Amino acid sequence: MKDTQQITKAAVMAAGLGTRLRPYTDHLPKPLVKFQDKPMLTSVLSRLERIGIKNAAINIHYHADKLKQWLDQNQDNYHVPLDISDETLGLLNTGGGVKKMQILLGREAILVCNSDTQFADENHANYLKNMINSFDPRIMDFLFLVCQKEHMLGYPGKGDFCISKTHQKESRNIGSSSVLYPLEMHQSNVTQQCNIAYNYVNTGMYIVHAQYCKITPSGAFSIVDYWKESAKRNRLWGYMYDGIIYDLGTMEGLTLCRAHAKNT
């Protein structure tokens, strides 16, 4: 029987330097850069409330004072209590940042959200709710909301994942059309040799198993190594999203997505 423990806590990744969004981030933290006339963080916090998140943590480092000031001034506009994960003494990278926030949130399975991803349609909340309800800690270390490369506008990469052909039979139908798949990760040192097409990308929304904070080291480290290790053990899964997603992490992507949003 599936473990149906509800996930009600989330971690917002907001500590990065935002170097690919300069000059906007010369004087602002990336989450406060505007998209559709409001800071990116506004949409992230609204999204968490819509999908039933009850508590969240946000990490801060670059222009930390400006981010804290914005949170204080806008606390009446969002209704998800936020714990501050302070990294002003030193960035913990993706892995350490997630671990610290997971500990702050009670060492439970959590939803992780990047601050520079936005959705083009309102139906995304239903997808996220379904993904959260689909997380099975018995077989999953990570569950990603993924989409095809062409559906993520502004994405500058070559792809992150492919569906595991070896374990595709383990895929699960969720509802009428959505499917969960075990994933394989892009391995740059072997991709050219095996000619695998990595057609799916990380949308910046994923669930982390409760055990993550117990098995990972202290200090700064990348979470990507743990994604790869989980993929090798067939414990990295993807929940497919078929809408349009905006990747706002680069100047090129931000410009493209602003134009698309204006014309739709």
Side-chain angles (χ1 to χ4, degrees):
M1 181 178 180
K2 177 182 176 293
D3 185 340
T4 57
Q5 181 181 1
Q6 189 174 10
I7 296 171
T8 61
K9 299 180 179 181
V12 179
M13 304 297 285
L17 303 179
T19 55
R20 297 183 299 169
L21 276 178
R22 289 175 178 166
Y24 287 124
T25 52
D26 284 341
H27 306 290
L28 277 178
K30 181 168 67 172
L32 297 188
V33 173
K34 288 188 176 181
F35 179 69
Q36 295 182 301
D37 299 321
K38 57 187 177 182
M40 298 179 193
L41 186 56
T42 301
S43 297
V44 175
L45 297 179
S46 175
R47 186 187 313 149
L48 295 183
E49 183 177 356
R50 288 182 61 193
I51 63 175
I53 296 298
K54 304 302 182 185
N55 295 92
I58 182 169
N59 62 348
I60 60 172
H61 172 81
Y62 184 64
H63 288 306
D65 290 342
K66 291 182 179 180
L67 190 50
K68 285 195 290 186
Q69 181 182 35
W70 186 90
L71 290 168
D72 289 340
Q73 293 174 345
N74 291 273
Q75 59 184 330
D76 293 337
N77 298 327
Y78 54 86
H79 306 286
V80 177
L82 278 174
D83 290 320
I84 300 294
S85 182
D86 195 329
E87 297 183 26
T88 52
L89 295 180
L91 277 170
L92 293 174
N93 207 328
T94 51
V98 169
K99 176 174 182 172
K100 184 173 182 179
M101 286 189 280
Q102 189 175 39
I103 292 171
L104 281 175
L105 292 168
R107 302 172 185 268
E108 301 176 17
I110 59 171
L111 175 69
V112 177
C113 312
N114 290 352
S115 59
D116 57 2
T117 297
Q118 304 287 344
F119 294 83
D121 63 80
E122 293 300 315
N123 192 43
H124 69 269
N126 292 327
Y127 277 87
L128 289 170
K129 289 177 183 178
N130 289 338
M131 181 184 77
I132 287 172
N133 292 333
S134 302
F135 181 68
D136 186 345
R138 299 177 306 165
I139 63 171
M140 302 173 185
D141 291 334
F142 300 96
L143 174 58
F144 285 83
L145 186 73
V146 298
C147 69
Q148 294 185 13
K149 282 188 296 185
E150 57 268 28
H151 287 178
M152 194 158 187
L153 300 187
Y155 172 73
K158 297 180 179 180
D160 302 314
F161 309 112
C162 68
I163 296 172
S164 174
K165 293 183 178 179
T166 305
H167 299 276
Q168 189 168 359
K169 63 183 181 218
E170 299 173 16
S171 64
R172 300 181 177 189
N173 290 310
I174 305 295
S176 59
S177 59
S178 299
V179 178
L180 288 168
Y181 286 110
L183 301 174
E184 294 178 5
M185 276 202 71
H186 185 281
Q187 303 281 347
S188 59
N189 59 330
V190 298
T191 301
Q192 292 181 347
Q193 299 176 20
C194 58
N195 197 31
I196 294 175
Y198 290 87
N199 294 322
Y200 297 93
V201 298
N202 171 14
T203 66
M205 304 282 290
Y206 58 95
I207 296 170
V208 178
H209 196 289
Q211 289 293 317
Y212 172 80
C213 64
K214 299 178 183 179
I215 65 171
T216 48
S218 300
F221 63 94
S222 173
I223 199 171
V224 175
D225 292 337
Y226 290 88
W227 296 347
K228 291 179 178 179
E229 181 60 32
S230 293
K232 291 177 183 177
R233 296 186 291 112
N234 310 312
R235 292 184 58 86
L236 186 142
W237 286 64
Y239 184 92
M240 302 302 168
Y241 180 74
D242 60 9
I244 298 297
I245 297 180
Y246 296 137
D247 184 343
L248 310 175
T250 67
M251 285 298 297
E252 295 82 2
L254 181 62
T255 301
L256 175 65
C257 294
R258 280 175 170 171
H260 184 274
K262 184 177 180 179
N263 294 320
T264 56

